[in-house]
């Protein structure tokens, strides 16, 4: 193991902020029972916030961001893992309060680690990453609440983003009629390529005027947007329909009334991928490697960058210019 290695470091002082590639040592990593040689990480909106001075994600500086990683165990003090094991780490405090995946080596608590399931490569695990896990958890919860392909169409908002793109591909691979919503007219072809049956604009979701109860359009929805978009979805879900909500890029306020819930039996399913119990986490990664794996679309939605490319890449995701999934090849 190298005594010095590369990591992407953000640092903030009273007078300055920096985000750049630097040499670090093991002493710069947070504590943990397992040391991993990182093969891939990925780029998420939360990582973008970690790369700016007022993102309110990083707890202390200097710091290594990256909220997920896939790699190979090089040292373990926990009997559950051995040298040479391929593993995945997503969420918990990784890349927020615990040094993350934008480093050639990471050290993490053993309780955060999922063994790489058969059927997934390390690269595929990070094409999916936190966004893919969130999409899978959304679909899992919707199906727990009765969603089936024959139930009706499923709306996916923010469909060109990480969660949205993977949700479209996963739903399509399971035979659902997927309606993808985007504000980017130029991306309609991309969304149909990854599995969308129909593509509609944001305005077709929200309408010109909010109505507490509107025409029933969709059996379910995957919504990583929130805000007024979520309000409109709730008003247009079919009887006993559900929306799985995992994001707030559209805002935190959700103006609605009690009517959709007591007159149509509508359900809001909150999706928390950060502290999802390990038992559920392992079950979902197994599903992601099998019946939820969008095999044909995975490499269509990916873009690969290096640690050196991170400043430009993180800036793009904050500006809403990213499409699909950007993965970081670390080693």
């Amino acid at each position: 193991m190298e005594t010095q290695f590369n990591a992407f470091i953000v640092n903030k002082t009273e007078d300055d902020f920096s985000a750049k590639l630097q040499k670090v040592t093991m002493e710069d990593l947070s504590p943990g029972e397992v040391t991993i040689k990182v093969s891939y990480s990925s780029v998420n909106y939360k990582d973008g916030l970690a790369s700016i001075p007022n993102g309110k994600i990083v707890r202390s500086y200097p710091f290594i961001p990256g909220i997920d990683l896939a790699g190979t165990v090089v040292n373990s003090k926990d009997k559950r893992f051995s040298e040479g094991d391929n593993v995945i780490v997503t969420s918990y405090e990784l890349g927020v309060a615990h040094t993350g995946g934008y480093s050639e080596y990471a050290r993490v608590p053993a309780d955060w680690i999922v063994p790489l399931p058969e059927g997934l490569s390390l690269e595929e695990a990070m094409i999916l990453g936190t966004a893919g896990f969130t999409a899978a958890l959304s679909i899992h919860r919707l199906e727990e609440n009765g969603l089936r392909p024959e139930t009706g169409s499923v709306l996916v908002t923010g469909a060109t983003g990480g969660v949205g793109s993977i949700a479209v591909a996963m739903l399509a691979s399971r035979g659902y009629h997927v309606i993808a919503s985007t504000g980017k007219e130029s991306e309609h072809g991309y969304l149909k390529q990854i599995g969308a049956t129909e593509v509609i604009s944001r305005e077709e979701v929200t309408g010109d005027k909010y109505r507490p109860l509107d025409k029933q359009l969709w059996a379910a929805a995957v919504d990583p947007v929130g805000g007024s978009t979520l309000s409109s979805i709730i008003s247009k879900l079919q009887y006993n329909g559900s929306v799985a909500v995992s994001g707030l890029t559209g805002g935190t306020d959700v103006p609605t009334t009690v009517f959709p819930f007591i007159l149509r039996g509508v359900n809001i399913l909150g999706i928390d991928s950060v502290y999802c119990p390990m038992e559920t986490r392992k079950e979902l990664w197994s599903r992601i490697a099998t019946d939820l794996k969008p095999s044909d679309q995975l490499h269509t939605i990916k873009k690969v960058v290096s640690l050196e490319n991170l400043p430009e890449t993180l800036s793009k995701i904050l500006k809403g210019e990213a499409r699909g999934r950007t993965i970081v090849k670390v080693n």
Side-chain angles (χ1 to χ4, degrees):
M1 197 182 308
E2 295 91 338
T3 55
Q4 286 193 323
F5 48 91
N6 290 319
F8 181 74
I9 304 286
V10 294
N11 196 15
K12 183 179 180 180
T13 65
E14 289 185 6
D15 305 317
D16 190 34
F17 180 84
S18 62
K20 59 186 179 182
L21 199 63
Q22 293 180 210
K23 290 289 185 181
V24 298
T25 68
M26 285 293 167
E27 283 67 40
D28 296 303
L29 303 181
S30 298
E33 298 85 23
V34 182
T35 303
I36 300 165
K37 185 174 183 179
V38 180
S39 295
Y40 295 93
S41 185
S42 72
V43 178
N44 302 277
Y45 191 77
K46 191 181 282 189
D47 299 316
L49 292 175
S51 72
I52 58 176
N54 299 312
K56 299 180 180 179
I57 291 294
V58 176
R59 310 272 176 86
S60 62
Y61 296 92
F63 189 70
I64 303 170
I67 65 168
D68 50 18
L69 65 87
T72 304
V73 173
V74 293
N75 184 271
S76 177
K77 298 176 182 176
D78 188 287
K79 292 180 180 179
R80 289 172 288 179
F81 302 100
S82 303
E83 183 179 349
D85 288 350
N86 289 329
V87 295
I88 306 167
V89 186
T90 64
S91 307
Y92 297 101
E93 299 296 315
L94 190 74
V96 176
H98 190 103
T99 52
Y102 294 165
S103 170
E104 292 182 328
Y105 289 90
R107 192 164 52 206
V108 299
D111 286 343
W112 295 1
I113 298 173
V114 174
L116 182 75
E118 186 176 348
L120 276 185
S121 67
L122 290 171
E123 182 186 38
E124 288 172 334
M126 282 299 100
I127 298 174
L128 294 157
T130 296
F133 183 79
T134 303
L137 183 55
S138 299
I139 296 167
H140 181 73
R141 290 292 311 281
L142 289 170
E143 291 182 339
E144 281 185 331
N145 276 264
L147 181 67
R148 299 291 182 270
E150 60 271 18
T151 311
S153 60
V154 182
L155 174 72
V156 178
T157 62
T160 61
V163 174
S165 288
I166 297 175
V168 168
M170 284 181 170
L171 286 162
S173 73
R174 287 186 57 73
Y176 286 96
H177 181 107
V178 184
I179 301 175
S181 168
T182 179
K184 302 172 183 176
E185 193 171 337
S186 62
E187 300 289 12
H188 287 208
Y190 161 75
L191 289 169
K192 289 194 172 181
Q193 182 183 5
I194 63 173
T197 313
E198 302 176 46
V199 183
I200 63 175
S201 67
R202 290 174 185 161
E203 290 72 27
E204 289 177 85
V205 175
T206 58
D208 55 357
K209 182 182 179 182
Y210 168 70
R211 298 172 178 82
L213 282 177
D214 213 326
K215 184 177 180 181
Q216 298 182 47
L217 297 178
W218 312 296
V222 174
D223 179 38
V225 176
S228 60
T229 297
L230 178 57
S231 300
S232 296
I233 292 169
I234 292 166
S235 72
K236 296 174 182 175
L237 285 174
Q238 295 172 10
Y239 190 83
N240 274 344
S242 300
V243 53
V245 59
S246 61
L248 45 71
T249 56
T252 56
D253 293 334
V254 183
T256 188
T257 72
V258 72
F259 295 135
F261 310 106
I262 65 172
L263 298 180
R264 290 184 181 167
V266 164
N267 306 288
I268 298 178
L269 308 177
I271 303 301
D272 170 34
S273 60
V274 178
Y275 296 111
C276 177
M278 181 54 74
E279 182 180 352
T280 303
R281 194 176 291 271
K282 287 180 177 178
E283 176 188 350
L284 274 176
W285 275 109
S286 178
R287 283 198 67 187
I288 288 168
T290 52
D291 67 298
L292 280 174
K293 184 178 179 181
S295 301
D296 296 335
Q297 296 91 351
L298 266 187
H299 294 278
T300 301
I301 65 176
K302 80 168 183 183
K303 177 182 178 182
V304 183
V305 300
S306 66
L307 287 172
E308 288 87 350
N309 301 135
L310 274 172
E312 177 186 0
T313 305
L314 292 165
S315 175
K316 282 185 176 181
I317 200 167
L318 290 174
K319 293 176 183 176
E321 297 174 356
R323 181 179 84 174
R325 290 285 288 155
T326 300
I327 61 172
V328 185
K329 191 175 189 313
V330 180
N331 275 302

